[in-house]
């Protein structure tokens, strides 16, 4: 089946630094990818929709200058957390839909756990 | 009111029990419905789609009630490996996926 790979799986950084997370669709092309944030014991919160070749669409309340999204190719989207602060510590997950499969199946990356010290 | 709501649980049930979860949605224009399963610290994975006529996959049965705007998931003969968080997912017009907060299930030996 379709596979989405996310890297890194864990990252610890100092406050004020920027962190880049990559999301790759390994065996299919994804014109659209989704970025989520998840707090412990909470559900996924959609942050933004990443569109290949165009600007990302951000959900209300998500700072686009804080969370930079680049979807440079049909298989790669990146999320950069700029000037990270401890409150940005969270589990970030990307997903993509393989249009060859069932209409509702989203394939998720393994997630990236960010800890900002 | 949140667009998709679920009882967060936890539901603690013994092995072999039957357990049911409900999920309500507020947007009547919602088109498609799914149940995803998420294990602790892992990514969500599709469990099953929910069809208007109801559908079954082994021990799992999903049903949709459009009039009352809810979907349900029934798990029969619970296994320890069923312990997870079950996420209700609704696709609304424009193909945005909306996730419910999830229901935690613990199957106890």
């Amino acid at each position: 089946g379709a596979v989405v790979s996310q890297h890194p799986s864990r990252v610890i950084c100092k406050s004020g630094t920027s962190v880049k997370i990559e999301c790759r669709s390994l065996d299919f092309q994804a014109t659209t990818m989704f970025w989520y944030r998840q707090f412990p014991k909470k559900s996924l919160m959609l942050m933004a929709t990443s569109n290949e070749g165009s600007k990302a669409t951000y959900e209300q309340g998500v700072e686009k200058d804080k969370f930079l999204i680049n979807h440079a190719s049909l298989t790669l989207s990146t999320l950069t957390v700029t000037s990270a602060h401890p409150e940005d510590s969270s589990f970030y997950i990307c997903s993509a839909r393989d249009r060859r499969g069932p209409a509702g199946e989203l394939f998720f990356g393994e997630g990236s756990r960010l800890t900002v010290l | 009111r949140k667009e998709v709501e679920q009882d967060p649980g936890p539901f603690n049930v013994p092995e072999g029990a039957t357990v049911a979860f409900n999920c309500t949605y507020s947007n009547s224009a919602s088109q498609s419905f799914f149940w995803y399963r998420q294990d602790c610290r892992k990514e969500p994975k599709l469990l099953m789609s929910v069809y208007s006529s109801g559908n079954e996959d082994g021990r799992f049965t999903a049903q949709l009630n459009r009039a009352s705007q809810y979907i349900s998931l029934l798990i029969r003969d619970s296994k320890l490996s069923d312990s997870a968080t079950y996420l209700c997912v609704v696709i609304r017009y424009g193909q945005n996926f909306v996730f419910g907060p999830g229901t935690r299930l613990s199957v106890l030996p």
Side-chain angles (χ1 to χ4, degrees):
Chain A
V3 177
V4 174
S5 176
Q6 195 172 334
H7 177 81
S9 58
R10 290 180 181 275
V11 58
I12 300 173
C13 69
K14 293 181 178 180
S15 188
T17 60
S18 294
V19 175
K20 181 186 284 187
I21 301 169
E22 293 186 347
C23 179
R24 294 181 185 273
S25 57
L26 297 186
D27 58 354
F28 66 100
Q29 294 182 335
T31 55
T32 303
M33 291 185 175
F34 305 91
W35 286 96
Y36 299 84
R37 182 174 181 174
Q38 188 174 34
F39 291 102
K41 299 186 179 181
K42 299 291 184 183
S43 187
L44 298 165
M45 182 190 78
L46 179 64
M47 298 174 66
T49 302
S50 171
N51 305 298
E52 188 269 335
S54 65
K55 292 182 180 179
T57 305
Y58 289 82
E59 294 298 301
Q60 192 174 7
V62 178
E63 299 175 59
K64 61 181 179 182
D65 295 330
K66 171 76 171 175
F67 299 99
L68 299 179
I69 291 174
N70 185 286
H71 196 148
S73 77
L74 287 170
T75 58
L76 174 64
S77 175
T78 60
L79 168 68
T80 301
V81 183
T82 62
S83 187
H85 290 286
E87 57 265 30
D88 298 326
S89 299
S90 189
F91 191 50
Y92 294 89
I93 310 178
C94 70
S95 72
R97 189 169 49 168
D98 182 356
R99 295 189 179 275
R100 300 170 300 179
E105 185 160 14
L106 279 180
F107 293 93
F108 287 83
E110 306 94 328
S112 299
R113 190 164 300 281
L114 171 63
T115 302
V116 184
L117 303 176
Chain B
R1 183 185 175 190
K2 293 182 181 176
E3 188 164 348
V4 179
E5 296 194 80
Q6 295 180 250
D7 181 342
F11 284 62
N12 298 316
V13 303
E15 263 187 295
T18 295
V19 61
F21 311 133
N22 279 342
C23 165
T24 58
Y25 60 95
S26 61
N27 192 328
S28 60
S30 299
Q31 299 172 300
S32 304
F33 309 88
F34 307 88
W35 284 102
Y36 275 70
R37 169 191 169 136
Q38 184 175 23
D39 293 301
C40 187
R41 294 176 174 263
K42 298 287 187 182
E43 73 274 20
K45 293 184 179 177
L46 179 66
L47 178 64
M48 60 195 304
S49 304
V50 186
Y51 303 123
S52 298
S53 55
N55 50 300
E56 189 173 308
D57 183 3
R59 298 181 293 109
F60 299 86
T61 301
Q63 291 194 313
L64 166 64
N65 185 318
R66 284 192 185 272
S68 301
Q69 295 184 195
Y70 76 84
I71 67 173
S72 64
L73 177 67
L74 180 78
I75 305 176
R76 289 182 299 277
D77 189 23
S78 301
K79 310 292 184 190
L80 295 176
S81 57
D82 294 334
S83 297
T85 296
Y86 291 84
L87 304 170
C88 167
V89 180
V90 172
I91 299 182
R92 48 182 158 95
Y93 182 75
Q95 295 294 301
N96 285 335
F97 292 76
V98 182
F99 283 80
T103 297
R104 282 196 298 136
L105 170 67
S106 291
V107 180
L108 308 173

